């Protein structure tokens, strides 16, 4: 899809750095004061701003005093795995002697504290169920537990409905009454805050036996889960990630994270937020996509490096399998998209009234655990909100969908509008602004496609569906250096809504070739005669390599390539526009 390249406009006029490039980058991201760039632990928001946090702490202290059985119910993604591991580690360190966990099976039980999961929890003899990264929409499962006298403490970060489940306490920054300024905490961030508040109360009541645990030891898990869940990197989240990365780089992290870095061929000392998102998290997520996330949780709980390496290799194998599924499904999805009559390839301005606003895809044999990644890939390619469906289970009349949105379109709001206008259409749904999940009956697929387009049109203009790539402008020749690349790496962490710096520039294309059948490797020459290696991941192999392109405008990130101990500058290409 042809895209428009635009330079970012400054969102702030504050003086933020003595370095002109960093000053420009921070202004472009709307940093309003130098204090927002302070990433020390002291600038972290206090737990007591979270609604119901005191009530939740009292529940846990009552469990501590009676040493009753606690079962943690997590989620099958990386945020859920890190949340579960963090809660297990913290509670054990604090002196809770009977703590267990359960991760729902994606394929047979689905997301959250369902009635099926509630039955499993009852079989474990739970006195208290602690949910992490789920629970705020688990009405039936919570009601079942409560009817059997089991207390429920929900920690979540997903958007709640107007009516809340009947839990004993709910901690979620997105509750309407919650005054916590950072609404973008990941699930692992929420449980970390609860553990901070619990530690404070245990200390003040002199309830620790022996040395008080160091809460900072959990920040490696917080950093990984926060980056993996692609939540908005506001100031508070950047502090959590920065502090967690510092621990990882210094080797003071869980051996499971160390083992994942090893199989991903990443050095701990140079690890960045992008490495957590693109190298570590996918391997952890592979467990929940293809098998059961309990493998991932066990890796994060593991304290023996040899066992951790074995589990990491198992996850790496699952990730390779996931990649193979993804590649096959993407090829099939692109073939379907090529036949969609209203999915046009726009140039600069969209004015076609019959243009498809969204893309809905389904194929009977697609793997349910990979449809979220596929939706993201198709979204990136066509700049459309995308929902990919797979069969819920063999013989089931229901389809499970994974949705990914574009900037400016809140996916959960779209699904909520559909649910209001067509109350019988959605069996269930939930999620965030950029990602969501849903279930429909297979007979309603065509009706859903029409309703999806209709709802999108109510929320976003046709012009907004034109793909726009925002850059931080051009780099001067002297800025295309290792020093600049290192400066940018240290100036993060970068991520969602605090975008990694992206630049544009004109280059001569001297060489092009495909690597591994899907990466485009190029040798390019800057106008001042400097040569650089450039690589474009997930390139559209139907269009590239294209040896007719001799000059192009590249949209790229400045990166450091480490090979056999040598560090060189390379360009990570996001987009190429022939000149």
């Amino acid at each position: 899809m042809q895209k428009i390249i635009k330079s970012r406009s400054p969102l702030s006029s504050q003086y933020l750095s003595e370095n002109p490039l960093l000053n420009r980058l921070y202004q472009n991201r709307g940093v309003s004061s130098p204090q927002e760039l302070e990433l020390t632990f002291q600038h972290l928001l206090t737990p007591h701003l979270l609604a119901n946090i005191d009530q939740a702490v009292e529940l846990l202290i009552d469990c501590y005093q009676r040493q009753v059985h606690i079962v943690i119910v997590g989620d099958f993604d990386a945020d859920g795995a890190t949340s579960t591991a963090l809660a297990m580690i913290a509670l054990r360190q604090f002196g809770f002697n009977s703590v267990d966990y359960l991760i729902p099976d994606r394929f047979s039980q689905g997301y959250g504290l369902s009635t099926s999961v509630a039955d499993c929890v009852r079989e474990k003899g739970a006195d208290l169920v602690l949910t992490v990264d789920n629970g705020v929409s688990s009405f039936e499962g919570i009601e079942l537990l409560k009817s059997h006298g089991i207390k429920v403490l929900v920690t979540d970060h997903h958007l709640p409905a107007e009516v809340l489940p009947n839990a004993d306490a709910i901690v979620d920054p997105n509750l309407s009454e919650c005054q916590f300024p950072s609404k973008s905490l990941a699930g692992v961030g929420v449980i970390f805050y609860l553990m901070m508040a619990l530690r404070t109360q245990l200390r003040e009541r002199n309830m620790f036996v022996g040395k008080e645990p160091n809460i900072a030891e959990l920040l490696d898990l917080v950093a990984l889960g926060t980056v993996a869940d692609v939540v908005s990197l506001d100031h508070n989240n950047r502090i959590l990630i920065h502090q967690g990365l510092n621990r990882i780089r210094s080797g003071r992290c869980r051996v499971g994270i160390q083992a994942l870095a090893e199989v991903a061929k990443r050095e701990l000392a140079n690890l960045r937020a992008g490495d957590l998102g693109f190298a570590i998290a996918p391997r952890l997520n592979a467990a929940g996509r293809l098998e059961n996330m309990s493998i991932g949780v066990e890796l994060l709980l593991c304290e023996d490096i040899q066992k951790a390496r074995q589990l990491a290799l198992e996850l790496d194998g699952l990730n390779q399998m996931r990649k193979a599924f993804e590649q096959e499904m993407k090829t099939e999805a692109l073939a379907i998209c090529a036949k969609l009559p209203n999915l046009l390839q726009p140039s600069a301005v969209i004015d076609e009234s019959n243009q498809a606003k969204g893309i809905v895809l389904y194929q009977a044999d697609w793997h349910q655990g990979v449809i979220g990644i596929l939706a993201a890939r198709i979204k990136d390619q066509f700049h459309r909100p995308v929902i990919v469906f797979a069969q819920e289970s063999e013989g089931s009349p229901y389809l499970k969908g994974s949705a990914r949105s574009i900037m400016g379109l809140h996916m959960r709001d779209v699904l909520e509008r559909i649910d209001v206008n067509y109350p019988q259409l959605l069996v269930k749904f939930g999620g965030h602004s950029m990602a969501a999940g849903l279930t429909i009956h297979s007979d309603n697929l065509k009706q859903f496609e029409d309703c999806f387009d209709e709802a999108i049109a109510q929320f976003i203009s046709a012009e907004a569906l034109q793909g726009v790539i925002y850059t931080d402008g051009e780099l001067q020749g002297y800025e295309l250096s290792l020093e600049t690349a290192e400066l940018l790496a240290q100036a993060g962490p970068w991520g969602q809504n605090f975008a990694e710096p992206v630049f544009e520039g004109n280059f001569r294309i001297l060489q092009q070739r495909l690597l591994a059948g899907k990466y485009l490797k190029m040798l390019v020459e800057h106008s001042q005669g400097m040569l650089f290696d450039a690589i474009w991941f997930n390139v559209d192999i139907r269009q590239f390599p294209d040896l007719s392109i001799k000059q192009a405008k590249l949209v790229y990130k400045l990166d450091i390539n480490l090979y056999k101990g040598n560090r060189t500058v390379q360009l990570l290409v996001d987009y190429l526009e022939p000149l």
Side-chain angles (χ1 to χ4, degrees), residues 25-36:
L25 296 176
Y26 291 141
Q27 288 179 342
N28 286 351
R29 282 147 189 77
V31 176
S32 59
S33 71
Q35 286 70 38
E36 284 186 46

Side-chain angles (χ1 to χ4, degrees), residues 297-442:
V297 176
E298 286 304 307
L299 173 66
L300 296 175
L301 293 175
C302 180
E303 296 184 349
D304 176 70
I305 185 60
Q306 296 306 324
K307 181 184 177 184
R309 284 170 175 151
Q310 291 175 359
L311 290 170
L313 283 172
E314 186 177 345
L315 290 179
D316 190 54
L318 288 173
N319 193 49
Q320 294 302 323
M321 192 185 306
R322 185 271 303 170
K323 287 181 178 179
F325 282 138
E326 177 193 333
Q327 189 63 34
E328 182 179 349
M329 289 165 59
K330 183 180 178 183
T331 300
E332 294 167 345
L334 289 174
I336 296 171
C337 289
K339 298 176 183 177
L340 296 178
N342 296 327
L343 186 60
L344 306 179
Q345 296 289 321
S347 52
V349 179
I350 297 174
D351 58 7
E352 293 87 348
S353 59
N354 69 336
Q355 175 122 28
K357 307 295 188 297
I359 300 175
V360 177
L361 300 171
Y362 166 68
Q363 189 160 296
D365 62 348
W366 279 349
H367 196 291
Q368 189 188 126
V370 187
I371 56 176
I373 298 176
L374 179 60
R377 299 284 188 244
I378 300 301
K379 181 263 296 184
D380 289 342
Q381 183 131 350
F382 293 98
H383 194 71
R384 291 287 184 280
V386 176
I387 300 180
V388 178
F389 285 100
Q391 194 169 15
E392 183 179 56
S393 59
E394 189 174 353
S396 171
Y398 294 103
L399 303 179
K400 281 194 171 181
S402 190
R404 295 295 183 271
S405 193
I406 59 176
M407 292 300 295
L409 182 71
H410 197 298
M411 182 56 75
R412 191 185 179 281
D413 287 353
V414 169
L415 295 179
E416 192 167 45
R417 179 67 59 88
I418 294 172
D419 192 48
V420 169
N421 292 342
Y422 305 93
Q424 306 306 314
L425 191 55
L426 299 183
V427 177
K428 58 182 177 180
F429 70 94
H432 301 291
S433 60
M434 300 302 289
L438 67 155
T439 301
I440 65 171
H441 195 284
S442 57

Side-chain angles (χ1 to χ4, degrees), residues 274-296:
D275 295 312
L276 294 179
F278 295 108
I280 309 298
R283 288 169 168 82
L284 187 58
N285 270 323
R289 294 189 188 282
L290 302 186
E291 296 285 343
N292 188 285
M293 185 47 96
S294 296
I295 306 170

Side-chain angles (χ1 to χ4, degrees), residues 101-145:
Y101 76 90
L102 187 152
I103 304 292
D105 181 80
R106 177 193 288 267
F107 308 105
S108 63
Q109 296 174 310
Y111 167 79
L113 181 53
S114 62
T115 53
S116 170
V117 173
D119 285 335
C120 294
V121 166
R122 287 176 55 216
E123 291 174 7
K124 284 179 172 286
D127 297 294
L128 172 80
V129 171
L130 168 62
T131 74
V132 291
D133 191 30
N134 75 93
V136 80
S137 59
S138 299
F139 292 89
E140 295 177 357
I142 291 175
E143 202 59 52
L144 176 61
L145 292 174

